[in-house]
Amino acid sequence: MSKVAFELIFQLLKENKEFPNYQAERRIDIFINYFLARILTCFLMEETTFVCPEFPLKTSGNNRSTKLDYLCKTTKQPVFVELKTDVNSLKESQALSYLNSKWQTCISELHQIHSASKSVYNTKYEKLVDTISIVSFKEENPEIRVMYISPLPKSNKSSWKKINIIKSKKLSELNFLINEDEKIIWYFLLELDLYIYEIGRLTVASGNNTQG
């Protein structure tokens, strides 16, 4: 595909994003996914790898699940990553559910979801289970780190009352190698004014400060 064609596609994405029912995350997802390991490695300052998209997290009382956008990992910990392109779609309940997750519980419940899955999805769930089976950490139940890639929530735009932003950086502030033929995609992502930030539970001592 030519550079001009990419430019026209990205322009269309930006224009469509201005309409109320356009699900921009689903269109932009693959471009973020492409750079995700590099984004996280630079932000966390340790080697981070992508594991899988749409990781299922079991809902209470049944074998249905909500889907985490991206599951990644460092050598020590799982990393949950959620993509949002609209600050108004940030939900504290979702963020808290990620922070409350326990890794071994996630694995156990993944097997429950797999066992209950319809035959049409069995092959895909088998691939997911096989992929997760080789993910290992030194600790049996390591703490999960939770990241968001989104516009940065402001105090007057976010309903978060129990969530603290531990550290944040604008994507444009990250410094990692971009090949010449990747620049058109990366520069498009930078125009979306996205940040990457790590969240934690808000405590009285921590306040609600955002660190760069």
Side-chain angles (χ1 to χ4, degrees):
M1 186 177 290
S2 71
K3 180 178 179 180
V4 172
F6 269 118
E7 288 174 345
L8 292 173
I9 289 171
F10 294 149
Q11 183 59 39
L12 184 59
L13 276 168
K14 286 187 288 185
E15 291 174 357
N16 285 353
K17 186 176 178 291
E18 301 303 315
F19 290 95
N21 297 311
Y22 188 73
Q23 295 182 330
E25 287 95 343
R26 299 281 67 86
R27 277 77 175 190
I28 294 166
D29 154 73
I30 192 62
F31 304 118
I32 290 289
N33 198 166
Y34 179 81
F35 289 105
L36 187 57
R38 281 180 277 179
I39 290 171
L40 290 168
T41 296
C42 185
F43 180 72
L44 297 174
M45 293 186 291
E46 59 181 306
E47 188 66 30
T48 310
T49 56
F50 170 69
V51 178
C52 68
E54 302 292 344
F55 183 65
L57 298 171
K58 187 175 176 294
T59 53
S60 178
N62 55 53
N63 287 312
R64 295 181 179 179
S65 62
T66 59
K67 306 299 188 295
L68 171 74
D69 285 337
Y70 313 105
L71 173 63
C72 301
K73 65 178 288 291
T74 66
T75 56
K76 299 177 182 178
Q77 294 171 293
V79 181
F80 283 10
V81 185
E82 188 71 16
L83 170 65
K84 301 290 186 184
T85 57
D86 185 346
V87 72
N88 295 314
S89 66
L90 295 167
K91 305 298 182 186
E92 185 174 57
S93 58
Q94 182 184 51
L96 284 170
S97 72
Y98 293 154
L99 290 171
N100 290 333
S101 295
K102 304 296 183 185
W103 179 241
Q104 285 302 321
T105 301
C106 291
I107 299 305
S108 174
E109 291 181 344
L110 171 62
H111 288 283
Q112 294 178 39
I113 295 168
H114 178 207
S115 298
S117 66
K118 297 179 180 179
S119 58
V120 67
Y121 295 113
N122 278 347
T123 300
K124 291 186 176 184
Y125 267 104
E126 285 168 7
K127 177 176 175 59
L128 176 58
V129 169
D130 288 345
T131 299
I132 299 301
S133 68
I134 61 175
V135 174
S136 62
F137 304 99
K138 185 176 181 180
E139 294 184 19
E140 181 178 349
N141 203 24
E143 182 178 356
I144 297 169
R145 301 182 75 170
V146 181
M147 312 287 160
Y148 273 73
I149 296 177
S150 82
L152 192 65
K154 308 297 182 182
S155 59
N156 63 340
K157 291 185 178 180
S158 174
S159 60
W160 287 1
K161 297 178 180 178
K162 301 178 181 179
I163 302 296
N164 184 45
I165 296 177
I166 299 169
K167 173 185 176 183
S168 71
K169 273 193 179 296
K170 201 168 185 177
L171 292 193
S172 60
E173 296 174 341
L174 300 176
N175 184 21
F176 56 83
L177 181 63
I178 302 288
N179 297 327
E180 187 64 33
D181 57 355
E182 297 173 327
K183 287 182 178 179
I184 188 172
I185 303 173
W186 182 244
Y187 291 157
F188 160 68
L189 293 177
L190 298 187
E191 290 180 19
L192 300 176
D193 197 32
L194 299 176
Y195 287 71
I196 178 169
Y197 51 94
E198 182 172 6
I199 65 169
R201 294 174 188 82
L202 184 64
T203 63
V204 174
S206 68
N208 194 24
N209 296 323
T210 300
Q211 301 178 7

